[in-house]
Amino acid sequence: IFCDEHPDREVEFFCKEHKILVCSRCTIDSHSDHTTSLVDFTRADIENYCSKVSDKLEDHRNRIIEA
């Protein structure tokens, strides 16, 4: 996953104030006064999470269509 602000850099941290993933440059620049935590995840973790979210969205969409 790449940083929204710096597309050439991978995210490494989670900004707890904005609840977004950021790269190391962000922790020095725009998020320097925010609490961040190091993220440790793999591509499989992200794919698994996205799959679960996609399934939930599909369920909600189907409920709306049926209503």
Side-chain angles (χ1 to χ4, degrees):
I1 296 178
F2 291 92
C3 179
D4 289 340
E5 291 292 318
H6 307 102
D8 59 322
R9 294 180 169 265
E10 290 189 20
V11 296
E12 301 172 68
F13 300 91
F14 180 74
C15 174
K16 293 182 179 181
E17 184 170 322
H18 290 122
K19 297 182 178 18
I20 60 170
L21 295 169
V22 295
C23 70
S24 57
R25 184 177 290 166
C26 285
T27 63
I28 296 168
D29 297 335
S30 55
H31 298 269
S32 62
D33 58 338
H34 302 165
T35 303
T36 58
S37 60
L38 187 62
V39 292
D40 183 23
F41 53 82
T42 65
R43 181 181 181 94
D45 294 332
I46 295 167
E47 288 174 348
N48 186 34
Y49 173 78
C50 289
S51 177
K52 289 178 182 178
V53 169
S54 179
D55 290 345
K56 287 182 181 182
L57 288 172
E58 183 67 21
D59 289 343
H60 287 295
R61 184 178 83 72
N62 289 337
R63 281 190 233 141
I64 291 169
I65 290 172
E66 293 171 0

